[in-house]
Amino acid sequence: MTFLFRMQFPILLFCATYLSLTGTPGAVFEPYSDKFLHLLCWCVLFISLRLALLGKARLVASALGLLAYATALEALQLLSPGRYFSTLDMFANALGIAIGLCLWQLYCHFSQAK
C-alpha cells in the first residue's frame, strides 16, 4: 500500500503538468469552470502529496513547494501556443492548496481522535 501512496502523486503531477502546458487541454473539460478546475486540481494534488509523503514532511513546506510549482507552470504557459499567464488562475491554485491543507488538517484531527 505504501508503494501506491508514493506513486500516485508523481502520476497526478504529470497529468496536471501535461494539461497545464498542452495547447488545448481537451473538450472533456469545457463544460466546467476553468477556475473551479484549477482549485480542484491543486487541492487534490496537495492531499496526494501528503499521502505520498506519509505525513512526514512539514505542511507549510508542502504547500509552499506545490505553490511554487503551480506558479512555474502558470508562467511556462506563456511558452505554449494559445495559453497565457493568469493571476486569477494563480489565485484559484493557491485557494485549492489552502483548501487541501485545511482538509488534511481535518483528516489528521479526526483520525487522531479515534
Side-chain angles (χ1 to χ4, degrees):
M1 191 64 147
T2 302
F3 177 75
L4 292 176
F5 278 153
R6 292 194 187 276
M7 289 309 299
Q8 49 79 34
F9 175 71
I11 293 168
L12 290 175
L13 189 63
F14 173 80
C15 291
T17 302
Y18 174 77
L19 291 171
S20 293
L21 298 178
T22 188
T24 53
V28 71
F29 298 111
E30 287 179 8
Y32 303 101
S33 163
D34 178 57
K35 303 310 175 248
F36 172 74
L37 291 174
H38 277 266
L39 186 143
L40 181 64
C41 172
W42 293 98
C43 178
V44 168
L45 278 171
F46 181 81
I47 293 170
S48 170
L49 175 60
R50 297 306 302 164
L51 288 171
L53 295 173
L54 302 172
K56 292 181 182 173
R58 297 179 185 209
L59 282 174
V60 175
S62 298
L64 291 177
L66 208 52
L67 184 60
Y69 191 78
T71 303
L73 278 182
E74 197 65 35
L76 285 171
Q77 286 184 2
L78 293 169
L79 303 175
S80 297
R83 303 302 292 259
Y84 57 92
F85 181 88
S86 167
T87 54
L88 288 176
D89 286 351
M90 278 307 309
F91 178 73
N93 296 347
L95 186 58
I97 292 169
I99 290 170
L101 192 144
C102 291
L103 290 173
W104 184 259
Q105 286 292 87
L106 282 172
Y107 165 76
C108 289
H109 174 75
F110 286 113
S111 66
Q112 290 176 355
K114 289 182 179 180

